[in-house]
Amino acid sequence: PPALLSVFATVAAMPTPAVLISAALGLLVMAAAYTQVFGQRSVPSTTAAVLFTSTPIWGAALAAAVLGERISPNAVLGGLFVVGACLVATLEWGREKGAGGADGGEGDAKGGPGPRT
């Protein structure tokens, strides 16, 4: 297809370091995606959801560290709320293990004890 030939022509015209950097970044993204998929298989769905909720915090932290982005006090407060919500959702303060609900135990969709057997 002509579009594919155009892509190859563009890559061939690029300087070698740019091609190598692009390839390295592509491999890094692929490794990160593989790690994410492996991690999602290894943890309960609620834990994975909580981790995905914290994605904006990591983005803001990396922008501040790498790019020198300034984080406003409101953004810091919002980040603290997200971290607090993640802690509340994942820590088992006073809950019995396997009692049902969002902690991964057996139970119905509303957090009840589930059917009797």
Side-chain angles (χ1 to χ4, degrees):
L4 189 58
L5 292 176
S6 172
V7 169
F8 284 132
T10 303
V11 170
M14 293 173 73
T16 303
V19 172
L20 294 176
I21 290 171
S22 296
L25 288 174
L27 288 173
L28 182 67
V29 168
M30 183 186 68
Y34 178 78
T35 304
Q36 174 187 340
V37 169
F38 178 76
Q40 283 181 276
R41 289 183 187 172
S42 304
V43 298
S45 59
T46 52
T47 304
V50 168
L51 290 174
F52 283 127
T53 301
S54 67
T55 302
I57 295 172
W58 293 106
L62 285 173
V66 175
L67 302 174
E69 187 77 22
R70 296 193 60 174
I71 300 176
S72 70
N74 285 341
V76 171
L77 182 62
L80 290 174
F81 278 127
V82 171
V83 169
C86 290
L87 288 173
V88 168
T90 57
L91 295 178
E92 299 197 19
W93 291 323
R95 283 191 274 174
E96 296 178 26
K97 279 212 177 261
D103 63 348
E106 294 182 352
D108 64 10
K110 296 178 184 173
R116 295 180 186 215
T117 53

